C-alpha cells in the first residue's frame, strides 16, 4: 500500500515526466547499459535500436504512476509482463539495478528534489515487489511440474522443416532426454542463443505451434533479412545443435468451454499461437463452431496450409477462409476458400456473430487494428476479442 503523500507527489510529477519522455528513457538506458553492460545479454538490443523497448518501459512506468491508488486496474498488464520476464529469467537483483538507474535518471534529468525522488523510489519498490512475487510463483510452479525447470535448459534441434518460402519450423527435444513440461495453447517459449560472431546473447520468444506431447517443443520462425536471431535460426542452425530454451510462458492462451464458438484470425507468422489453439480444439473434440481466417501474401508465403486442413478436418464444425494480398498467377484464387486482397470479415461477421463467439487475433499490429475495427463496427463485443502483440504490448 502506498501512502497518500507519496501518491500525491508522484502524480504531481507525471506531466513533467511525460513531457521529457523519450529523452528520459534514452538517458536511463544509456546510463544503465554503461554501468551494467551485463544487462545487454538480457534486453533485446534490436528493440533498443528501434525504440520499442524504451517506449514500452516508459508507458509501463507512466501507467503505474497514474494508477497508484487503483493498481488492480493494471493486473492483466502486470501478468503479461511477468510472464514475459520469466522467459528472460529476470531476477530480483535486476529490479534493484533498474530502480537505481531510474532514480539517478530522474535526478540527473529533472533534479526534482529529494522528496520527489523518495516518493518515486517508494512507488517503484511497490511495483518491483509485485513483479518479484508473481515471477517467483511462476518459477516455483515451473520447477514443480513434471518435465519443468527454472532458467534455461539445453534442447537438441531434432527437425528443421520448411513451411513456406519465408517460414521454417524448428522442433526440439530436451538434450537430457527427459520429459518436458506441458503448456497452454497459445503460449510461447524463449530461445537463448549466443553463437560465435554475436556481440550479445539474444533472447527471443516464439509461439509453440503444436500440441504438448511431453517430449518436444515446436516453433516456427519467419526469416527477417534484418533479424539477428531469425537469420541465424534459418541460415545456421542445424539438426543436432544444442539451443537453450526457457519454460513455456504467456497469458494469451485459449480458455473456452467445449460449447464456445471460436474464430481464429491471423496474418503471416501470427498464425503460430493459433495453430496450437486449433490443435487443442481438435484434440478436445470441440463441440461448437471453429473458424480459421488467415492472411498471407501469396501461396509461396502461405505456411501450414496442410496442417490447418488436416486439423480442421478433425473438427465437427469447421470453416476456413484465406486471403492473399499479392496473389500470383499460380495461386488458385476464388476456388475453394482463397480470396485476393486484404482480409474482409464483414460478410462473415453477421452470420458468425453468435453472442458467445470468441475472436482470437494474432499478426502485425496494424492488421489486428484493421480486424478489430471490422469486428467492433459490426457489433462484436470488444470483450470477446483476444489478441497478443509480440514485442512490447500495444492497445488495439
Ligand atoms: N504470439 C505472438 O504474438 C506472435 C506474433 N507474431 C507477429 O505477427 C506478425 C506477423 O508478421 P508477418 O508474418 O511478417 O506478416 P506479413 O507482413 O507477411 O503479413 C501477412 C499478411 O497480412 C497482411 N497485412 C499486414 N498488415 C496488414 C494491415 N495493416 N491490414 C491488412 N492486412 C495486413 C499482409 O498484407 P500486405 O502484403 O499488404 O502487407 C499479408 O497479406 C509480426 O508482427 C509478429 O510479431 C508472430 C508470431 C507470434
Amino acid at each position: 500500500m502506498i501512502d497518500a503523500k507519496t501518491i500525491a507527489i508522484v502524480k504531481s510529477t507525471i506531466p513533467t515526466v511525460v513531457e521529457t519522455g523519450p529523452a528520459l528513457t534514452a538517458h536511463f538506458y544509456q546510463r544503465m547499459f554503461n554501468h551494467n553492460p551485463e544487462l545487454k545479454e538480457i534486453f533485446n538490443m534490436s528493440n533498443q535500436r528501434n525504440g520499442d523497448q524504451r517506449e514500452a518501459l516508459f508507458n509501463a512506468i507512466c501507467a503505474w504512476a497514474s494508477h497508484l491508488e487503483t493498481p488492480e486496474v493494471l493486473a492483466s498488464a502486470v501478468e503479461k509482463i511477468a510472464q514475459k520476464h520469466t522467459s528472460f529469467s529476470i531476477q530480483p537483483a535486476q529490479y534493484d539495478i533498474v530502480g537505481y538507474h531510474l532514480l539517478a535518471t530522474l535526478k540527473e534529468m529533472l533534479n526534482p528534489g529529494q522528496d520527489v525522488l523518495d516518493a518515486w523510489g517508494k512507488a517503484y519498490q511497490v511495483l518491483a515487489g509485485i513483479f518479484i512475487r508473481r515471477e517467483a510463483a511462476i518459477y516455483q510452479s515451473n520447477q514443480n511440474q513434471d518435465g519443468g525447470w527454472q532458467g534455461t535448459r539445453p534442447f537438441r534441434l531434432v527437425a528443421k522443416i520448411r513451411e513456406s518460402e519465408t517460414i521454417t519450423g524448428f522442433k526440439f527435444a530436451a538434450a537430457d532426454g527427459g520429459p518436458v513440461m506441458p503448456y497452454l495453447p497459445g503460449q510461447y517459449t524463449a530461445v537463448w542463443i549466443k553463437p560465435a560472431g554475436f556481440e550479445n546473447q539474444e533472447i527471443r520468444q516464439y509461439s509453440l505451434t503444436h500440441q504438448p506431447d511431453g517430449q518436444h517443443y515446436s516453433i516456427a520462425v519467419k526469416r527477417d533479412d534484418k533479424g539477428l536471431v531469425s537469420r541465424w535460426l534459418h541460415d545456421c542452425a542445424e539438426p543436432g545443435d544444442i539451443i537453450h530454451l526457457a519454460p513455456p510462458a504467456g497469458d494469451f492462451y485459449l480458455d473456452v468451454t467445449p460449447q464456445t464458438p471460436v474464430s481464429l484470425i491471423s496474418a503471416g507468422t501470427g498464425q503460430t499461437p493459433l495453430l496450437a489453439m486449433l490443435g487443442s480444439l481438435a484434440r478436445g473434440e470441440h463441440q461448437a463452431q471453429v473458424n480459421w481466417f488467415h492472411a498471407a501474401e501469396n501461396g509461396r508465403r502461405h505456411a501450414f496450409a496442410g496442417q490447418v486442413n488436416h486439423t480442421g478436418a478433425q473438427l465437427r464444425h469447421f470453416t476456413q477462409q484465406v486471403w492473399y494480398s499479392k496473389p500470383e498467377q499460380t495461386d488458385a484464387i476464388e476456388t475453394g476458400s482463397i480470396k485476393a486482397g486484404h482480409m474482409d470479415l464483414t460478410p462473415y461477421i453477421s452470420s458468425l456473430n453468435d453472442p458467445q463467439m470468441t475472436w482470437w487475433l494474432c499478426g502485425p499490429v496494424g492488421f489486428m487494428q484493421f480486424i478489430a475495427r471490422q469486428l467492433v463496427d459490426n457489433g462484436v463485443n470488444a470483450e470477446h476479442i483476444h489478441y497478443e502483440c509480440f514485442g512490447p504490448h500495444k492497445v488495439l
Side-chain angles (χ1 to χ4, degrees):
M1 202 51 198
I2 305 178
D3 61 274
K5 189 175 164 210
T6 301
I7 292 176
I9 295 176
V10 170
K11 285 198 148 185
S12 72
T13 52
I14 293 176
T16 317
V17 170
V18 169
E19 218 170 274
T20 330
L24 206 66
T25 44
H27 184 89
F28 164 78
Y29 276 111
Q30 195 174 24
R31 192 180 203 294
M32 187 170 72
F33 290 135
N34 277 343
H35 288 79
N36 295 90
E38 73 280 5
L39 291 183
K40 289 186 185 175
E41 304 284 310
I42 304 289
F43 280 77
N44 178 333
M45 297 310 284
S46 301
N47 280 351
Q48 277 297 316
R49 280 185 281 278
N50 67 22
D52 270 5
Q53 182 78 51
R54 293 175 179 189
E55 192 191 316
L57 178 87
F58 182 71
N59 290 343
I61 289 174
C62 287
W64 174 244
S66 312
H67 289 96
L68 290 176
E69 296 116 317
T70 52
E72 61 283 358
V73 172
L74 300 175
S76 66
V78 165
E79 180 63 12
K80 187 174 287 299
I81 296 170
Q83 291 283 337
K84 186 67 88 63
H85 278 178
T86 65
S87 71
F88 289 108
S89 198
I90 298 293
Q91 299 301 317
Q94 290 162 335
Y95 285 96
D96 292 341
I97 297 174
V98 168
Y100 174 76
H101 292 295
L102 188 65
L103 293 186
T105 299
L106 289 176
K107 187 171 180 191
E108 287 160 10
M109 295 290 287
L110 305 176
N111 199 14
Q114 199 54 45
D115 282 357
V116 172
L117 292 176
D118 289 347
W120 274 90
K122 268 192 212 169
Y124 175 79
Q125 283 306 326
V126 172
L127 178 63
I130 291 172
F131 279 116
I132 289 169
R133 283 190 295 280
R134 178 63 188 131
E135 288 157 22
I138 298 171
Y139 293 137
Q140 194 60 54
S141 151
N142 289 343
Q143 182 77 64
N144 292 344
Q145 299 221 35
D146 189 22
W149 71 98
Q150 276 195 43
T152 61
R153 181 172 172 190
F155 277 72
R156 190 174 304 285
L157 178 60
V158 292
K160 191 174 170 184
I161 306 144
R162 188 179 151 100
E163 299 289 356
S164 79
E165 187 181 75
T166 49
I167 299 176
T168 292
F170 298 84
K171 185 174 183 180
F172 301 97
D176 58 21
V180 300
M181 63 183 266
Y183 51 89
L184 298 166
Q187 289 192 306
Y188 50 78
T189 182
V191 167
W192 292 47
I193 57 169
K194 189 172 185 181
F198 272 40
E199 192 178 341
N200 302 300
Q201 168 178 262
E202 299 290 343
I203 304 171
R204 297 287 185 278
Q205 288 74 19
Y206 294 107
S207 299
L208 293 153
T209 47
H210 288 63
Q211 290 309 288
D213 66 0
Q215 295 294 322
H216 303 101
Y217 291 145
S218 293
I219 60 171
V221 179
K222 179 177 177 180
R223 189 182 188 285
D224 174 352
D225 289 341
K226 299 195 197 91
L228 211 51
V229 177
S230 73
R231 270 190 302 143
W232 184 83
L233 285 167
H234 273 253
D235 302 348
C236 305
E238 291 300 340
D241 285 356
I242 298 292
I243 292 176
H244 289 76
L245 300 184
D251 68 334
F252 177 63
Y253 54 81
L254 191 70
D255 182 17
V256 293
T257 66
Q259 288 73 38
T260 308
V262 173
S263 289
L264 303 171
I265 307 171
S266 61
T269 39
Q271 70 174 306
T272 50
L274 307 192
L275 287 169
M277 295 184 187
L278 185 67
S280 95
L281 292 167
R283 183 182 273 189
E285 299 180 4
H286 199 66
Q287 305 292 305
Q289 181 71 37
V290 177
N291 307 299
W292 180 265
F293 298 110
H294 180 62
E297 282 177 65
N298 52 47
R300 282 186 293 130
R301 300 208 164 183
H302 179 188
F304 291 108
Q307 182 172 322
V308 171
N309 289 337
H310 177 77
T311 313
Q314 298 165 32
L315 282 157
R316 193 181 283 230
H317 306 288
F318 178 72
T319 71
Q320 176 179 192
Q321 303 293 333
V322 175
W323 284 260
Y324 288 168
S325 54
K326 301 181 182 85
E328 296 175 323
Q329 280 193 335
T330 46
D331 290 328
I333 296 297
E334 302 302 347
T335 61
S337 58
I338 301 177
K339 293 168 185 49
H342 283 145
M343 186 181 288
D344 179 8
L345 294 184
T346 314
Y348 304 97
I349 296 171
S350 56
S351 64
L352 293 175
N353 202 5
D354 177 327
Q356 303 307 317
M357 178 64 75
T358 54
W359 309 82
W360 302 79
L361 277 56
C362 196
V365 174
F367 166 82
M368 293 195 290
Q369 287 168 333
F370 174 68
I371 296 301
R373 176 61 39 222
Q374 291 180 27
L375 295 175
V376 171
D377 286 352
N378 285 282
V380 169
N381 178 350
E383 285 181 8
H384 288 186
I385 303 174
H386 308 269
Y387 66 97
E388 175 160 78
C389 297
F390 255 10
H393 190 67
K394 306 259 187 334
V395 174
L396 293 190

